[in-house]
Amino acid sequence: MMLQLFSLYMTYTGLSSFALAMDKHHVQAFGERVGPGRTRWLRLSGSILLLMALGLWVWSLDVAMGLVSWLLWVLPIMGLIVAAGLAFVPRFTATVACRRP
Amino acid sequence: MKRTFTLSMAWLHSWAGLFFAWLLFGILFTGAIAVFHAEVTYWVTPEMRGQVHDDRDKAIEVGRAYLEEHAPDARLWRLTLPSEREPVVKVYWRDEKGNGTTRRLQPDTGETIQRETRGGGFFIDYHYMINLSRKDIALGPVGLWIVGMAGIVMLVACISGIVVHKRIFRDLFLFRPGASRHRSWLDAHNVLSVLPLPFHIIIVYTGLVTLYWLYVPAGINSLYAGSEDAFRREAISQHYVSLLDAPPPGPPAPMMSLPAINRQAEAQFGAGKTAYLTMRDPNRANAMVEAFRTRADRVTQQVEQIAYRGIDGRQIRIVEHSTATKIQSFVAAIHFVEWGGAVIRWAYFLVGLAAAAMVATGLVVFTAKRETKRGAPPWLRLVQAVNVASVAGLCIACAVFFWAERLTPADLPARAGVPVKFFFLSWLACLAHAALRPPHCAWREQFALAAFLCFAAPMLGGQGWLHLISWDTTRLFFDLTFWIFGAVFAFLFFKVKGTPTRSVHRHELVA
């Protein structure tokens, strides 16, 4: 249960890193455009976080159930939370994902 | 054909989407509720108690005693054992003419639960056949065809939507609630469609696979001379015999003790893993008892089943399914989610609601795009009215269903159909209201009503506080979900108030 919650959180941080790597969302959250170096760093850390989240989820369930449930439910639900968060409380969304300007 | 491929796809997406979205919203919304069908039935039946009942022998005896007394001449009995989700004994029997009756009994005392209800079953029936049973219409399974067609169109809309939406990855998280009306609803539509796209496609596909043989009847008509049973024997199980074709019942002969047969079955399934027993020609010389395994821990719809001879309990066979059936039943099980427990059910519920919201936002985009500065085409008024009724009206109808379940007396004769009548009548009333009122007012007023119905539903019949006192977590979660829905509808009520924004204002000025 704890592992799965942790994996959910990492999916959230990974997806919000990807979102923040885009100019529009970076402006929403921090009021400034994202530089090329920061984009690269956000994308890299985002991919690592997503891979770790997937790995943890698959490990805590089993391979078939884990892969399917992560792709079909964890990813979209967390993605919708990130999208809604960036729209209504952008700074807070970034803070929860441990991202500072 | 339009000028370019993208334009053709855009045309297809908006027009096929529009007409079928009116149906699809209801199908997806009730489908999301139907994920919790057992919990719905439990919530609408206050007589059902939450304790898990472990004495399975007693439960079987209770069910058999009831059937012996009330249906001695039935051709088929079915006895469903109490489970965690539905802690009652369910007995079902079918008479000579094929009419079925279901009763629910308390597993410990054998007391009959008076209250007749379709409960969560109604949402399932609406979801896959808009409540048009095959028995009601001579033409065939019309409801299933309509829903199947809507499913195919949803697949088409998913794929044409991918073509139309050129910035899938760049706009993955983009939602701008403050932008113009058309823009912000289009953002919402995109976010709700793209992120859960794998789910949307798979849920439609698996839904279509569950009833694959119905969509092209020509196959069964030409290869099996129109006999669905012959097809089933070849495709599903060679031992399949429908009740109508079964040989006449043999002479009376007492049947063996059912708990003993069930213990034999559970020795193979695992302890406590029998879901239900069926008895063909009970208490006859040719009686056959079949035990069916639970679906709760396997991703399959065609469960293992073992057949026993009724008079002495000798095992006749373990029913084998063909490989094709096993694959089909795995795919179908992905759709039915009887497996996986509460977490998976919540996930399906949430993403299913996202699919319904995708359809609803799509409808709003359709109208918002056509309400331009120069005014709107005259037929748009009609579209707007049907939009309101098919989205907000359906939510009201669902809430009214729960109200009717709470307020209809438990001992009313033919009670099960009453909430269903209220469902459709309230939906019709919503359509009339939406046709008479200007669109913004219709949206607002119907969302306000939906919010009120949802906020009040848990308190009806003095139930709400009882759940808190008895700490009945299933019913408490249900109540809480009602309040969250109420809050969402209230939010939409206030949101729509602010939206006669620039574009609409201008159009009103010109008009």
Side-chain angles (χ1 to χ4, degrees), chain B residues 195-209:
Chain B
L195 283 166
L197 189 67
F199 177 85
H200 295 339
I201 290 180
I202 284 184
I203 207 71
V204 184
Y205 176 72
T206 54
L208 288 168
V209 166

Side-chain angles (χ1 to χ4, degrees), chain B residues 171-326:
Chain B
D171 290 355
L172 198 58
F173 303 101
L174 192 62
F175 176 42
R176 291 159 293 186
S180 75
R181 186 151 169 268
H182 171 227
R183 186 37 65 194
S184 57
W185 284 108
L186 183 60
D187 278 348
H189 181 62
N190 288 342
V191 164
L192 287 165
S193 311
V194 174
L195 283 166
L197 189 67
F199 177 85
H200 295 339
I201 290 180
I202 284 184
I203 207 71
V204 184
Y205 176 72
T206 54
L208 288 168
V209 166
T210 49
L211 294 169
Y212 63 97
W213 67 89
L214 286 171
Y215 301 129
V216 191
I220 290 178
N221 281 338
S222 60
L223 287 173
Y224 300 94
S227 159
E228 227 176 81
D229 289 347
F231 160 74
R232 273 168 196 254
R233 267 193 290 281
E234 194 163 314
I236 298 170
S237 161
Q238 51 173 322
H239 301 298
Y240 181 85
V241 182
S242 93
L243 213 56
L244 298 172
D245 295 343
M255 224 165 34
M256 217 192 125
S257 131
L258 291 178
I261 293 183
N262 180 50
R263 274 196 296 273
Q264 279 189 59
E266 292 200 353
Q268 298 194 36
F269 293 154
K273 298 286 188 199
T274 307
Y276 58 93
L277 303 168
T278 63
M279 280 67 73
R280 280 196 176 226
D281 293 323
N283 290 328
R284 302 283 180 161
N286 63 331
M288 185 173 83
V289 181
E290 275 187 284
F292 290 75
R293 195 184 184 285
T294 175
R295 295 191 179 109
D297 56 355
R298 300 265 170 95
V299 188
T300 180
Q301 281 301 106
Q302 291 290 346
V303 284
E304 292 164 41
Q305 62 194 78
I306 308 176
Y308 300 93
R309 212 155 65 182
I311 44 169
D312 56 4
R314 255 229 339 255
Q315 182 174 320
I316 303 173
R317 59 176 168 257
I318 297 177
V319 177
E320 280 293 324
H321 295 293
S322 66
T323 313
T325 300
K326 281 185 191 152

Side-chain angles (χ1 to χ4, degrees), chain B residues 21-37:
Chain B
W22 292 333
L23 267 174
L24 277 169
F25 180 82
I27 294 169
L28 293 166
F29 193 75
T30 52
I33 298 174
V35 169
F36 288 116
H37 66 93

